Amino acid sequence: MAATQPAEDLDASLTRNFPPKRRRFATYIQRTWPLHVLLLPAVIIALIYSYVPMLGIVIAFQDYVPWLGIRESEWVGLDHFRYLFTYPDAKQVIFNTLIISSMKIVLHMIVPVVFALLLNEVRLSWFKRSAQTLVYLPHFLSWVVLGGIFVDILSIRGGIVNRFLSMFGIDPIFFLANGDWFRATIVLSDIWKDFGFSAIIFLAALAGVNPALYEAAEIDGANRWKQVIHITLPSITPIFIVVVTLSLGRVLDAGFDQIFNMYNPLVYAKGDIIDTFVYRIGLLGAQFSFATAVGLFKSVIGFILIVISYRMAYKWANYRIF
Amino acid sequence: MIGQRSSKQNRMKILLAAALSSVMALSACSSNTEPGTSGDPGGNTDNPSATESPVLSDPVGFKYDPPISVTTAMVFEQQTATDFKPGENIEDNVHTRWLRDTLGIDLSFDFISPKREDHDTKMRLMLAGKNKLPDVMKASTVLATDLIMAKKVMPLNDLIETYLSPNLKALYEEYPGVLYPVTKDGNIYGLPNMYAMDEGTIMWVRQDWLDNLGLQAPTTIEEFEEVIRAFTEDDPDGNGKDDTLGLAVSLKDGPYQWMSSADSLVGAFSDHMAQTGDMRMFWSEDADGNLEYGTIHPSMKDFLAAMNKWMANGWIDPEAGIKDAAKASEIAASGQAGIIFGPYWMNGYPLSGVPEFQPYPNPVGPKGGAGRAEKAMVHDYTMFSSEFEHPEAIIGYISKLYATNFGVDDPYYDPFFKNGWHEGYDYVLHDGKVVRQDFEGEGVPQDKWPVPDDGKTAVRVHFPLTGSTFIPYLGDDAFQKFKDNPDAEILNAMEARVQASQPRQLDAGLVRISQNDTAIYNRFGGAPTKTMESKGELLSKLETESYLKIIYGDQPVDYFDEFVRQWRANGGDQVIQEVNEWYKEMAK
């Protein structure tokens, strides 16, 4: 923030003087070079760690052999992509990924917002704080641990969930081995784990709403509900759009950690996703090229979706992130 | 390629020889007189002359002076606080100091990774980046294949001939399969690090439940079926609740697991072994000397039919299909299941809290025999970078470690290791007696305990270049010996390991040994074949899914034939062909 302050001053002074164009640029550089130097490390780091490694995607078009390196490995064109789409299970795996991740994205849009709105209406500050802490705690547990816990919780032999269901006369449900229940289990447990953490950002946005607006609304006779509709929701719309836009880029990420730790061969048909599928292929053959090709495919789809949703956000919500 | 490499090496050797010790100079001379030629099947680039190496002239007391420096990389993660004494770590501990001060081998680590995958990835990146590899490497079969293909590791035929302990050479001849994965064009590129082969599956049964119900431990599959039925339905723990079941087993990743296994149930129904999820297991030899794949053998239908029946009746854990081996064992450890299959060490974990579990032989099936899956003999290979100057020093060192198993007659036998590895670490000498555990109980004064505030625990000695130096089955005789006389004299390192066992563990070991002749070996030991790499995932998934679907009754047992048809059509036939090509190549 501090760095931008002098820049505005400089711009202001430059426009006042109206120097010739070339002169203007030279003066500009001369007077702003410390700022560019300040920026340089960030640019270099982004180049080295984000852009240079991207050159590695060329191995997606090679039959990459580690000891031959990129230069000597054989070029195979789009073979790996062709392989991905002609692989007998690929269609199903891509479909599973889309189903699971879109359910997750939709619920991750709704649940944290609703939770944040409800919590925002609570006036007991100790309850508000402790509830907030408790619900975001699961975010810090790893799926390796949770996978084991869920097997016990959802057990058909005395698991707490099935015991609860049996009180209503419902037969035990084998949540983790029944394909239809498996997807629901995956999505709901993921929401349970992360909604509290996702809600933090909305709570922060809610805290930033100008209280004067609520006061004015109250004077105008708006009740609590009207205040939510006309003040709270519009206030958090921009941040909501940011979150949704970013999450759309992950539509082909259905959550490797979680599914890998919770799935099993009985639910392959409904629960196997692109990442677990690639993991199994990579495990046996160390097939770098194929894994890279799948990664590239996912990135391209994700990129396209982000661009589209960003355009839409700009068009309809008049909101720009960048 | 070979010529180019050796000339480069010779040049380096001459340079070094000019600057360094007489040992080095001599080794370089010999390499100049015997240039590696591409026609030589031994394929060795250059060996130090036999007579001049300190290893040969004095196998027991050899020392490099001045010390040689050797780099390596390893997989290591500290497990417990007693892995080391305070102030020591994997890079600087009693054994590395001994290596430096006694043998003149100054070991340093290029990198240490907590996980094998990370280690292998790093090694592959080093290959890709054409970096200098560590002098000594420990490589799994798959990584070893990469290193050999990349021509970065040294052929060892001549070195083995000249320097390796004769007892180890004899061992390789006894089990020729251990060298197959690292043999290419007649050249051997790695020294196998082997398991003790004491982990064959046995049956653990709740003795108190048997007694409560007036049953005998099952010896046949029929009796087994009756026992798991009774354990499930007849309230064996007598608490009046329906809270027990017969068998705790893991089926999520295939029948053969490191514990909670079903391999001996497969073995009861078939001469073959089935493992789903990894196409490298299990291949058996048929009458014509061809390898066939156990998972698709028709006899597996009997196994699947039995499992299906038991599952339908609720006699085995209904959640077996979603549990891995450790998770599956929990219901046995918590007293809800009466039978679990697994290795002899389950005495210590996970069954330590349930002394009622007693070891029994695997039941005999309708075909008249029992059977169990036998683990692969080798866990990894010690390999040398082709730029490494002193392979003979490490081979001498390895021979010395293994000599503790072979006893005083081995030319490398070093009396320094007579009682164990390092005094004050894995053992303590007290009143002329060797104490290996429970130092407090044996009256060892506290200042001599390996761990200052723990009178029970010894400190492990780590071997960064080899891992534990076990010899397959060598410890077997010791089980009976120490059962008869717990204080019998310990003759070698493998015996020391057995002597430290609890009584139930000794019994379990004896049960395992009694069925050694029922072991079913996997005859395929190579890296994944081409079709395994391209279609392996599809086929493995098909295997695991089909097996579980049949066991869970989603498909009838006859679906097995349809599964085999699909398996063959989707690349399985190619895999069978490739595996047999590999086998013929190796048997040459």
Side-chain angles (χ1 to χ4, degrees):
Chain A
M1 280 312 254
T4 56
Q5 203 55 46
E8 281 165 17
D9 292 348
L10 284 171
D11 273 349
S13 69
L14 287 170
T15 36
R16 264 200 306 276
N17 292 337
F18 292 110
K21 208 171 185 188
R22 181 169 298 169
R23 170 89 199 290
R24 193 174 142 192
F25 182 72
T27 328
Y28 177 73
I29 288 294
Q30 198 187 3
R31 302 186 67 172
T32 59
W33 69 266
L35 302 176
H36 290 275
V37 171
L38 280 177
L39 195 63
L40 201 60
V43 171
I44 291 175
I45 285 175
L47 269 180
I48 293 179
Y49 292 105
S50 299
Y51 287 89
V52 173
M54 273 192 210
L55 299 176
I57 59 178
V58 297
I59 71 171
F61 307 97
Q62 288 187 325
D63 190 7
Y64 179 72
V65 182
W67 56 88
L68 291 179
I70 290 173
R71 227 176 285 166
E72 287 167 59
S73 290
E74 194 191 336
W75 291 93
V76 295
L78 294 174
D79 271 12
H80 294 296
F81 297 92
R82 223 166 277 142
Y83 180 64
L84 171 64
F85 293 110
T86 54
Y87 204 84
D89 289 343
K91 239 181 251 161
Q92 186 190 45
V93 164
I94 294 172
F95 179 73
N96 287 344
T97 310
L98 287 174
I99 283 280
I100 292 175
S101 73
S102 19
M103 287 200 290
K104 278 185 180 177
I105 287 175
V106 169
L107 282 179
H108 267 305
M109 276 182 211
I110 299 167
V111 178
V113 175
V114 171
F115 173 74
L117 288 175
L118 291 175
L119 203 63
N120 193 47
E121 296 300 315
V122 173
R123 287 289 170 257
L124 289 168
S125 109
W126 65 267
F127 177 79
K128 204 168 159 178
R129 278 165 198 279
S130 45
Q132 198 183 334
T133 310
L134 282 176
V135 296
Y136 82 63
L137 273 184
H139 173 78
F140 297 102
L141 295 173
S142 87
W143 279 113
V144 182
V145 177
L146 286 176
I149 292 175
F150 273 109
V151 168
D152 286 336
I153 292 179
L154 301 173
S155 169
I156 46 171
R157 300 185 63 252
I160 191 162
V161 175
N162 274 315
R163 250 191 255 175
F164 180 73
L165 291 177
S166 72
M167 291 196 305
F168 302 96
I170 300 170
D171 281 339
I173 297 168
F174 204 167
F175 289 101
L176 293 174
N178 178 321
D180 301 320
W181 283 105
F182 182 74
R183 281 181 189 158
T185 311
I186 286 292
V187 171
L188 290 177
S189 58
D190 188 58
I191 301 297
W192 166 80
K193 183 174 186 283
D194 276 331
F195 82 90
F197 197 75
S198 316
I200 290 178
I201 195 164
F202 295 116
L203 285 166
L206 288 173
V209 179
N210 188 350
L213 294 175
Y214 291 112
E215 283 163 23
E218 245 168 77
I219 290 167
D220 289 346
N223 60 18
R224 255 319 189 13
W225 177 245
K226 292 277 181 194
Q227 288 177 31
V228 168
I229 298 291
H230 296 292
I231 298 175
T232 315
L233 280 182
S235 306
I236 61 168
T237 303
I239 197 76
F240 180 75
I241 289 171
V242 175
V243 171
V244 171
T245 306
L246 292 178
S247 71
L248 277 178
R250 292 198 311 268
V251 75
L252 290 182
D253 278 322
F256 172 78
D257 279 0
Q258 182 194 17
I259 295 196
F260 181 70
N261 283 298
M262 287 173 78
Y263 82 157
N264 58 76
L266 288 167
V267 292
Y268 274 164
K270 297 282 176 78
D272 199 12
I273 56 166
I274 296 177
D275 290 340
T276 50
F277 162 77
V278 171
Y279 172 81
R280 288 199 310 276
I281 289 189
L283 189 71
L284 197 66
Q287 299 194 29
F288 302 104
S289 287
F290 181 70
T292 310
V294 176
L296 182 59
F297 164 70
K298 283 176 54 184
S299 303
V300 168
I301 301 286
F303 181 71
I304 293 171
L305 285 168
I306 286 196
V307 170
I308 293 174
S309 55
Y310 179 65
R311 292 263 153 189
M312 294 196 310
Y314 179 52
K315 195 168 172 193
W316 289 319
N318 197 21
Y319 184 77
R320 309 196 74 151
I321 304 171
F322 308 111
Chain B
M1 194 65 198
I2 288 177
Q4 197 190 344
R5 193 167 72 236
S6 66
S7 80
K8 193 176 162 192
Q9 272 203 339
N10 286 345
R11 205 163 58 232
M12 206 157 133
K13 290 225 159 181
I14 292 164
L15 271 173
L16 282 166
L20 291 177
S21 73
S22 59
V23 181
M24 299 280 299
L26 285 166
S27 80
C29 284
S30 78
S31 72
N32 287 342
T33 54
E34 295 171 343
T37 54
S38 49
D40 175 13
N44 256 315
T45 48
D46 36 16
N47 281 338
S49 162
T51 48
E52 317 298 346
S53 157
V55 178
L56 268 202
S57 52
D58 183 6
V60 179
F62 72 87
K63 177 172 186 180
Y64 282 80
D65 190 23
I68 54 171
S69 58
V70 177
T71 58
T72 188
M74 76 179 295
V75 181
F76 181 77
E77 187 171 24
Q78 188 158 346
Q79 301 288 342
T80 63
T82 54
D83 261 354
F84 299 103
K85 283 196 180 193
E88 297 195 345
N89 56 50
I90 189 66
E91 293 181 66
D92 176 20
N93 56 60
V94 64
H95 195 67
T96 58
R97 286 196 300 273
W98 172 84
L99 260 173
R100 189 182 61 223
D101 300 340
T102 309
L103 298 189
I105 298 173
D106 194 356
L107 195 62
S108 60
F109 294 81
D110 284 352
F111 58 87
I112 296 167
S113 320
K115 285 189 192 139
R116 177 164 291 283
E117 305 90 79
D118 299 343
H119 175 267
D120 287 7
T121 305
K122 261 184 200 151
M123 291 290 287
R124 290 203 177 91
L125 286 173
M126 289 178 90
L127 276 179
K130 312 245 192 277
N131 296 357
K132 183 190 170 295
L133 294 174
D135 293 328
V136 185
M137 293 162 276
K138 261 175 74 190
S140 60
T141 309
V142 180
L143 180 62
T145 310
D146 286 355
L147 289 167
I148 294 168
M149 297 293 285
K151 304 201 165 105
K152 293 287 189 188
V153 281
M154 189 182 284
L156 304 174
N157 302 45
D158 292 353
L159 289 162
I160 288 174
E161 193 51 43
T162 316
Y163 295 102
L164 196 72
S165 139
N167 284 312
L168 269 180
K169 267 186 265 179
L171 190 72
Y172 297 167
E173 270 157 39
E174 189 181 350
Y175 303 114
V178 299
L179 293 176
Y180 287 174
V182 287
T183 304
K184 189 163 186 287
D185 303 331
N187 291 330
I188 299 164
Y189 290 90
L191 301 175
N193 300 311
M194 288 168 279
Y195 288 108
M197 298 306 279
D198 51 7
E199 296 178 276
T201 296
I202 57 168
M203 179 172 66
W204 294 89
V205 187
R206 280 291 289 257
Q207 190 62 49
D208 56 332
W209 289 12
L210 288 175
D211 296 344
N212 288 350
L213 300 173
L215 291 166
Q216 295 291 315
T219 58
T220 66
I221 282 294
E222 279 166 36
E223 291 170 14
F224 176 82
E225 187 171 299
E226 170 55 19
V227 169
I228 56 171
R229 185 206 60 76
F231 277 3
T232 310
E233 296 171 358
D234 296 352
D235 192 21
D237 56 357
N239 67 355
K241 285 188 204 149
D242 178 18
D243 59 354
T244 59
L245 47 78
L247 178 68
V249 63
S250 161
L251 297 171
K252 182 184 177 187
D253 304 310
Y256 174 42
Q257 296 302 315
W258 53 282
M259 65 176 179
S260 323
S261 185
D263 62 309
S264 41
L265 292 173
V266 174
F269 290 99
S270 173
D271 294 328
H272 295 71
M273 182 49 59
Q275 172 64 344
T276 63
D278 185 347
M279 302 216 60
R280 287 173 292 178
M281 296 189 277
F282 256 81
W283 297 80
S284 317
E285 204 173 49
D286 68 6
D288 305 325
N290 294 320
L291 292 187
E292 40 180 8
Y293 191 48
T295 310
I296 58 161
H297 195 266
S299 55
M300 294 308 156
K301 278 169 101 169
D302 300 332
F303 161 73
L304 291 171
M307 292 295 279
N308 170 246
K309 177 183 170 192
W310 301 336
M311 181 63 86
N313 289 328
W315 299 340
I316 60 183
D317 184 0
E319 294 177 335
I322 65 168
K323 287 179 174 172
D324 64 19
K327 190 82 198 162
S329 73
E330 283 173 10
I331 58 165
S334 64
Q336 301 173 61
I339 298 183
I340 186 167
F341 290 92
Y344 78 114
W345 49 249
M346 286 181 76
N347 163 63
Y349 162 81
L351 302 181
S352 57
V354 201
E356 295 85 0
F357 269 107
Q358 289 297 320
Y360 285 99
N362 297 318
V364 171
K367 69 180 169 63
R372 68 168 193 240
E374 204 72 338
K375 191 168 180 159
M377 231 172 237
V378 181
H379 45 90
D380 53 18
Y381 291 89
T382 299
M383 309 178 96
F384 303 118
S385 158
S386 46
E387 291 167 23
F388 183 35
E389 303 283 348
H390 285 288
E392 81 289 349
I394 303 305
I395 292 180
Y397 158 71
I398 290 173
S399 299
K400 201 186 257 261
L401 293 183
Y402 274 99
T404 56
N405 293 318
F406 294 120
V408 287
D409 297 331
D410 192 285
Y412 284 91
Y413 181 81
D414 187 341
F416 179 78
F417 293 132
K418 182 161 58 88
N419 297 319
W421 297 112
H422 296 284
E423 224 256 286
Y425 287 81
D426 57 320
Y427 73 97
V428 170
L429 271 179
H430 178 62
D431 289 343
K433 223 177 121 196
V434 181
V435 185
R436 290 192 171 79
Q437 54 182 347
D438 192 16
F439 305 98
E440 191 169 13
E442 295 285 335
V444 179
Q446 185 166 4
D447 58 330
K448 286 175 79 181
W449 293 352
V451 188
D453 48 359
D454 179 353
K456 297 219 174 295
T457 318
V459 173
R460 265 182 69 195
V461 176
H462 299 272
F463 304 94
L465 302 183
T466 59
S468 299
T469 45
F470 294 143
I471 305 235
Y473 304 112
L474 190 74
D476 279 8
D477 294 342
F479 283 90
Q480 190 63 50
K481 178 173 152 182
F482 293 112
K483 184 175 165 58
D484 295 345
N485 176 13
D487 299 319
E489 192 194 352
I490 295 166
L491 294 180
N492 59 45
M494 299 284 287
E495 290 203 352
R497 193 164 164 263
V498 176
Q499 196 262 344
S501 307
Q502 292 170 0
R504 182 168 66 152
Q505 193 155 334
L506 286 178
D507 287 341
L510 287 167
V511 168
R512 189 266 306 167
I513 293 163
S514 75
Q515 290 193 316
N516 271 2
D517 57 341
T518 67
I520 299 169
Y521 288 89
N522 180 20
R523 300 291 173 193
F524 177 69
T529 67
K530 219 172 158 40
T531 311
M532 280 189 201
E533 283 185 354
S534 60
K535 302 275 176 63
E537 193 279 332
L538 180 68
L539 295 174
S540 306
K541 186 172 167 179
L542 182 66
E543 292 169 5
T544 318
E545 241 180 340
S546 305
Y547 266 54
L548 277 179
K549 275 182 180 163
I550 294 174
I551 293 172
Y552 273 88
D554 296 344
Q555 296 282 358
V557 174
D558 285 333
Y559 175 74
F560 185 82
D561 301 321
E562 167 62 17
F563 148 65
V564 173
R565 198 193 57 71
Q566 280 188 29
W567 187 89
R568 285 181 174 279
N570 279 303
D573 278 334
Q574 271 160 282
V575 172
I576 293 177
Q577 195 189 336
E578 287 166 357
V579 166
N580 275 294
E581 277 163 17
W582 172 87
Y583 196 56
K584 295 217 168 63
E585 172 74 24
M586 287 302 140
K588 258 193 254 172

